[in-house]
């Protein structure tokens, strides 16, 4: 009987002080671990909220590639001050490659491209050519609105994005050391 009381007391203490799933993974408050990317770079950590509500196919692809470690050690190959930092070419590292998976159909939305928004890169005028590459916005760029898929937004780490070496191409580029889905971060 005493053992049962002790177990019930222990369970009650857990019920009174729950640990938020995001906090358990060291994520910002309110982050959904299943739809968050944790990008550890040579400059520090960037945490991205994936917008599976507006781009479910793209969100699924980024999570799939992160879980396959496709993005590990991939450079930020194109970084334009005031515009964006692009990465995600785990095939060639220079912006010419993709993944082994087929390209994705565009999932355009009305979400504007502003500082901290994450968009999917694609080839020129081919709306359905996004594959693995993505970019993080430094500033507002209305010309991209409705023309590229918004896949997420930076929850924390824009100060890290600001430190990424600039260039087109970047000489001795900063890299994504590891990219993980928040739920997988221990």
């Amino acid at each position: 009987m005493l053992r049962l009381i002790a177990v019930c007391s222990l369970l009650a203490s857990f019920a009174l002080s729950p640990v938020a799933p995001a906090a358990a993974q060291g994520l910002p408050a309110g982050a959904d671990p299943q739809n968050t990317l944790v990008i550890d770079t040579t400059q520090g950590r960037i945490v991205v909220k994936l917008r599976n509500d507006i781009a479910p196919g793209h969100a699924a692809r980024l999570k799939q590639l992160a879980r396959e470690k496709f993005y590990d050690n991939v450079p930020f190959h194109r970084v334009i001050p005031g515009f964006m930092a692009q990465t995600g070419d785990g095939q060639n590292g220079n912006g010419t490659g993709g993944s082994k998976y087929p390209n994705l159909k565009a999932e355009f939305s009305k979400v504007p491209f502003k500082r901290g928004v994450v968009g999917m890169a694609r080839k020129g005028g081919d709306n359905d050519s996004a594959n693995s590459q993505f970019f993080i916005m430094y500033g507002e760029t209305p010309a991209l609105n409705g023309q590229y898929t918004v896949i997420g937004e930076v929850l924390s780490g824009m100060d890290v994005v600001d430190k990424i070496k600039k260039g087109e191409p970047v000489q001795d580029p900063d890299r994504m050391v590891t990219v993980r889905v928040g739920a997988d971060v221990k």
Side-chain angles (χ1 to χ4, degrees):
M1 182 70 169
L2 263 158
R3 184 176 286 174
L4 179 60
I5 292 171
V7 169
C8 289
S9 175
L10 181 63
L11 289 174
S13 71
F14 283 122
L16 295 174
S17 59
V19 174
Q25 279 93 9
L27 301 176
D32 172 5
Q34 291 296 332
N35 290 296
T36 303
L37 287 184
V38 177
I39 305 170
D40 286 319
T41 75
T42 48
Q43 292 292 341
R45 178 170 278 185
I46 303 165
V47 178
V48 173
K49 171 186 175 181
L50 294 175
R51 295 293 308 269
N52 66 322
D53 58 324
I54 58 172
H58 289 74
R61 171 67 56 84
L62 267 61
K63 291 188 291 188
Q64 177 182 30
L65 293 174
R67 285 186 164 127
E68 292 175 2
K69 300 183 172 135
F70 177 83
Y71 290 127
D72 290 6
N73 202 37
V74 173
F76 286 90
H77 63 272
R78 183 175 178 230
V79 184
I80 303 170
F83 181 36
M84 59 87 202
Q86 185 171 334
T87 186
D89 180 358
Q91 183 178 37
N92 301 325
N94 63 7
T96 63
S99 71
K100 64 184 178 182
Y101 301 107
N103 290 342
L104 297 161
K105 289 258 185 221
E107 294 177 302
F108 297 156
S109 70
K110 293 184 182 197
V111 175
F113 279 87
K114 60 183 183 178
R115 181 171 171 79
V117 164
V118 181
M120 287 296 286
R122 61 177 174 79
K123 294 177 188 165
D126 185 354
N127 290 344
D128 299 329
S129 61
N131 189 289
S132 65
Q133 295 186 45
F134 60 92
F135 54 91
I136 302 170
M137 300 299 296
Y138 283 121
E140 188 173 355
T141 308
L144 300 181
N145 295 348
Q147 304 297 312
Y148 287 79
T149 297
V150 170
I151 185 56
E153 60 191 70
V154 174
L155 291 177
S156 65
M158 272 309 292
D159 58 324
V160 173
V161 179
D162 289 336
K163 295 177 195 172
I164 294 170
K165 291 177 194 159
K166 313 298 187 270
E168 190 180 7
V170 182
Q171 300 302 311
D172 188 29
D174 283 305
R175 295 177 174 275
M176 297 188 293
V177 178
T178 62
V179 179
R180 300 292 178 263
V181 174
D184 302 339
V185 175
K186 304 288 185 243

